[in-house]
Structure formats: structure tokens, C-alpha cells
């Protein structure tokens, strides 16, 4: 064989190798059924988060703060643990869908800005026993705040997406609040 025909044969072999490799499934596609994952889907969840800091049975309790926290206009340094109910409607007596469990901390000296690290743990319906994890900044004074969903469990394995929070009601005397959440999440 002469040089041009060898070169042509090698190029043809390379071309077919690339085409065949491009048609093969990704290794994660092959593993999904083995670990119980079906097709990826997107879900929209809508619920209300009840943050109760007053009364005899608060669901949000400050567990830490710096000496300067009580004098800070933004409560900078305050760390609050939460176990807040998640309900179907804004009324506290509406159907319980789950609980927001975790913490938020005042992380801004200039404005009200919280670091949110929490799980939405669902106790009802098709997501019963599943959870979503949120970690991000909550600019409290903004009308709508967006925080990333970084994972999940159960029906939300390998979840990713975002949560939008909107203050539905706030009592400045007690600090109690009801926050509407719209969560958009990709999961298996």
C-alpha cells in the first residue's frame, strides 16, 4: 500500500471510531437503573413556611450570637435553629406537608441577609419521607429571594434547582413570619 491509501485508511478508521464512540451511552446512563434511578423529571412544589419566634412553643430559636449582635441593626452574628412547619396554605392550621429543619444565620453587617442551611423534610403525599436541601443567601428585605437547592433524598435523589421565597406575612412586634415558597427542582 502506498502512503496516501494508508493515510486515507487511518482517517477513515478514526472517523468511524469517533462516530461509534459518540453513539455510546454515558456510563452514568448505564448505572441509573442499577441504583434505582428512573428518568430525570422536574417538579414544582408550593408551600408556606411558618417561622415562629414568639410564644411558649417557638419553632425558631436563637442558639448563638456575638456580643455585638444585640446592638447590630441586622442582628449580625445571630444563629437561629429552626423546626418550622411547612403547610399547604398560609393558615397555620392548614394541612402539614413537612418541616423546614436547619439553621439560618445573620451574615451581613449592612442589610438583612441570612445564610440559610436547611432541609425541607416532607411528611405527606408522594414526597413523604423525602427531603430537599437548601444552602444559600436569603436577602430578607427583597420581595422574592432565590436560593439554590443543592441536593435531596428519597424521591429527590440527585436534586438540583432553586427555591423562591416571598414573605406572605410578618409581625414586627413578635418577629413571627409566614413565607411562601415556590421550589423548582430536577430529580430522579
Amino acid at each position: 500500500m502506498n502512503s496516501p491509501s494508508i493515510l486515507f485508511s487511518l482517517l477513515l478508521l478514526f472517523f468511524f471510531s469517533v462516530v461509534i464512540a459518540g453513539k455510546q451511552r454515558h456510563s452514568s446512563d448505564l448505572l441509573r437503573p442499577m441504583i434505582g434511578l428512573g428518568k430525570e423529571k422536574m417538579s414544582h412544589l408550593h408551600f408556606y413556611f411558618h417561622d415562629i419566634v414568639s410564644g411558649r412553643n417557638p419553632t425558631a430559636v436563637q442558639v448563638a450570637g456575638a456580643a455585638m449582635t444585640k446592638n447590630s441593626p441586622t442582628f449580625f452574628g445571630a444563629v437561629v435553629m429552626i423546626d418550622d412547619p411547612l403547610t399547604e396554605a398560609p393558615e397555620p392550621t392548614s394541612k402539614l406537608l413537612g418541616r423546614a429543619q436547619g439553621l439560618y444565620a445573620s451574615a451581613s453587617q449592612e442589610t438583612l441577609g441570612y445564610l440559610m442551611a436547611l432541609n425541607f423534610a416532607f411528611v405527606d403525599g408522594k414526597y413523604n419521607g423525602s427531603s430537599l436541601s437548601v444552602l444559600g443567601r436569603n436577602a430578607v428585605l427583597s420581595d422574592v429571594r432565590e436560593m439554590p437547592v443543592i441536593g435531596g433524598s428519597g424521591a429527590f435523589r440527585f436534586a438540583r434547582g432553586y427555591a423562591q421565597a416571598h414573605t406572605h406575612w410578618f409581625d414586627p412586634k413578635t418577629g413571627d413570619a409566614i413565607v411562601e415558597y415556590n421550589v423548582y427542582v430536577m430529580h430522579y
Side-chain angles (χ1 to χ4, degrees):
M1 262 194 191
N2 60 22
S3 265
S5 57
I6 291 174
L7 181 60
F8 178 75
S9 297
L10 288 173
L11 283 173
L12 208 60
L13 182 63
F14 174 74
F15 173 77
F16 285 118
S17 298
V18 169
V19 169
I20 291 169
K23 293 196 180 280
Q24 289 182 346
R25 290 178 19 171
H26 193 270
S27 62
S28 67
D29 291 339
L30 298 173
L31 290 175
R32 262 191 249 140
M34 293 172 56
I35 58 175
L37 299 178
K39 186 177 177 187
E40 189 173 33
K41 54 192 159 270
M42 183 171 128
S43 295
H44 170 225
L45 292 84
H46 179 255
F47 50 82
Y48 292 84
F49 172 112
H50 298 262
D51 198 50
I52 311 302
V53 297
S54 68
R56 292 192 293 170
N57 191 24
T59 62
V61 180
Q62 184 174 333
V63 295
M68 67 169 283
T69 299
K70 60 183 168 232
N71 298 322
S72 168
T74 65
F75 309 104
F76 180 66
V79 178
V80 178
M81 291 300 297
I82 64 167
D83 185 12
D84 291 344
L86 303 175
T87 61
E88 190 171 59
E91 297 77 24
T93 57
S94 68
K95 183 178 182 180
L96 181 71
L97 301 177
R99 302 198 72 84
Q101 298 172 326
L103 61 90
Y104 57 84
S106 180
S108 176
Q109 294 183 43
E110 303 291 320
T111 62
L112 279 176
Y114 292 146
L115 163 68
M116 305 290 285
L118 56 94
N119 290 309
F120 294 136
F122 298 99
V123 298
D124 186 70
K126 67 180 178 179
Y127 301 127
N128 183 18
S130 300
S131 67
L132 287 170
S133 298
V134 174
L135 177 65
R137 183 172 190 274
N138 185 345
V140 180
L141 297 179
S142 296
D143 183 41
V144 177
R145 291 88 68 189
E146 186 172 298
M147 293 162 278
V149 172
I150 61 166
S153 67
F156 297 116
R157 288 186 185 120
F158 295 104
R160 66 191 188 288
Y162 64 97
Q164 290 182 325
H166 166 75
T167 303
H168 176 78
W169 173 83
F170 175 71
D171 184 342
K173 289 180 185 174
T174 64
D176 295 348
I178 299 172
V179 181
E180 179 182 22
Y181 271 85
N182 279 288
V183 180
Y184 299 89
V185 62
M186 300 294 294
H187 61 99
Y188 290 95

